[in-house]
Amino acid sequence: MNAIEFDSGATTCRGVHLAGVGDEMASDGLRPCVVLAHGFAGTVDSGLLAFAQRFRAAGLDAIAFDYRHFGASDGEPRQLLSIKRQLEDYAAAIAYARSLEGVDPRRIVVWGSSYAGGHAVSAAVADGHVAAVIAQVPAMDGLATLANLVRYAGAAQLVRLTLLGLRDQLASLRGRPPVMLAAVGAPGTVAAMTSPDAEPGYRAIAGPAWRNEVAARIALSAGAYRPGLQADRLPCPMLVQIADRDTVAPPKAAQEAAFRATGRAEVRTYPIDHFDIYTGAAFERAIADQLHFLRRHLGARSSARPVAEAA
């Protein structure tokens, strides 16, 4: 595992690169590469490495990176969650993956979990040439997520988040430090996610770089971000992995995004909560399904002519 860095928007993003083992997925000496990114306020050390290591063992290269403003990457202010910048970082990571020695630039996979599960659709559509998408417990519709938040936390919670977001936006205009919002919290507290399983689930996978806060201005734009609506423009097959008991990313929105993918989407469902997919038996099932999907769609390709053509 090697440390990597690449530029995105004049800012340095950092992460890790794991080179694939063996030649199971190689074509003309080149391997596919999976580009992994995390969800809301997530960092590489919070559950991504286990997936990257399994891809490596299966013969695929893997890159996992932190967005600007988070974890090991540069960017001020810290903990600023900008959807636009995160999508720019995804594009920069894809370009970096294509430049790596031993990587097949035709077989890049965009892998996103939770909030990045939606990003994966947007990034794939914007790129137009990636070979596959994996959207794991994806947040496909910000409007549906806010409606879900109102159901479990009440309308007053949405008002509190909006007011906090306005305070942060005003602080930004005045050149002051961000007003922070907890990413997860116990039910009844003010946080972006307060369903009963959210805080214990996130803390169970959190690494040393993770901080339980984001600049509160994201509350003002989250509802307008609906990446699942772009699924009909995907240039490649997509695996959508849905947690049936998900209280963070509404399962119905993920199902609707898969439907919009017009035959390109494969759906797998699991009887689990949102954060269960990162560990234990749920992780084993999820990664097995991902590898099965990738072997079918990215199997080794050779530049040699078919026998009949050669004859």
Side-chain angles (χ1 to χ4, degrees):
M1 183 166 62
N2 299 314
I4 61 169
E5 59 180 48
F6 54 89
D7 289 337
S8 179
T11 303
T12 300
C13 290
R14 296 184 177 87
V16 294
H17 170 222
L18 291 76
V21 175
D23 59 2
E24 176 186 352
M25 297 293 291
S27 171
D28 298 328
L30 300 177
R31 298 177 299 272
C33 184
V34 185
V35 180
L36 300 92
H38 219 311
F40 196 91
T43 49
V44 167
D45 61 357
S46 299
L48 293 194
L49 291 179
F51 290 95
Q53 288 164 349
R54 290 298 184 87
F55 292 135
R56 173 184 180 273
L60 301 98
D61 278 35
I63 284 176
F65 70 97
D66 288 331
Y67 301 113
R68 275 179 276 178
H69 309 285
F70 290 90
S73 294
D74 292 345
E76 295 292 338
R78 303 306 294 166
Q79 304 301 114
L80 174 63
L81 200 167
S82 164
I83 294 168
K84 178 177 182 291
R85 294 181 187 183
Q86 290 193 348
L87 292 175
E88 290 173 354
D89 297 345
Y90 239 130
I94 291 169
Y96 180 80
R98 287 192 172 114
S99 74
L100 286 170
E101 183 178 357
V103 165
D104 185 346
R106 304 165 301 171
R107 293 190 291 161
I108 301 297
V109 180
V110 182
W111 185 104
S113 190
S114 191
Y115 212 58
H119 284 351
V121 173
S122 296
V125 169
D127 182 86
H129 300 288
V130 298
V133 169
I134 294 175
Q136 176 178 281
V137 291
M140 289 290 192
D141 189 326
L143 193 59
T145 300
L146 290 184
N148 184 61
L149 182 148
V150 170
R151 279 193 293 272
Y152 73 71
Q157 180 77 324
L158 184 59
V159 173
R160 288 189 286 266
L161 295 179
T162 301
L163 291 174
L164 204 58
L166 290 170
R167 283 180 54 203
D168 182 39
Q169 191 66 58
L170 183 59
S172 173
L173 293 173
R174 292 176 173 176
R176 296 178 179 174
V179 175
M180 292 297 183
L181 166 69
V184 289
T189 63
V190 180
M193 295 172 275
T194 59
S195 58
D197 62 305
E199 184 174 25
Y202 213 144
R203 291 192 181 279
I205 64 169
W210 180 74
R211 289 165 52 180
N212 186 22
E213 59 181 6
V214 293
R217 70 197 72 168
I218 185 59
L220 304 179
S221 58
Y225 183 50
R226 309 179 71 189
L229 298 181
Q230 303 177 56
D232 60 339
R233 296 160 50 198
L234 280 169
C236 60
M238 172 173 66
L239 174 64
V240 183
Q241 296 178 294
I242 301 172
D244 286 340
R245 302 197 300 263
D246 202 323
T247 59
V248 173
K252 184 178 179 182
Q255 293 164 354
E256 290 174 348
F259 181 79
R260 287 189 189 92
T262 58
R264 294 183 180 88
E266 300 178 23
V267 177
R268 299 289 182 272
T269 60
Y270 311 88
I272 59 174
D273 296 329
H274 183 80
F275 290 97
D276 292 341
I277 203 163
Y278 297 96
T279 59
F283 163 79
E284 295 294 342
R285 176 66 183 276
I287 190 63
D289 287 343
Q290 291 174 20
L291 289 172
H292 180 65
F293 169 79
L294 293 178
R295 286 178 177 126
R296 284 188 293 111
H297 291 288
L298 300 182
R301 302 190 306 183
S302 173
S303 61
R305 292 179 296 165
V307 173
E309 180 184 341

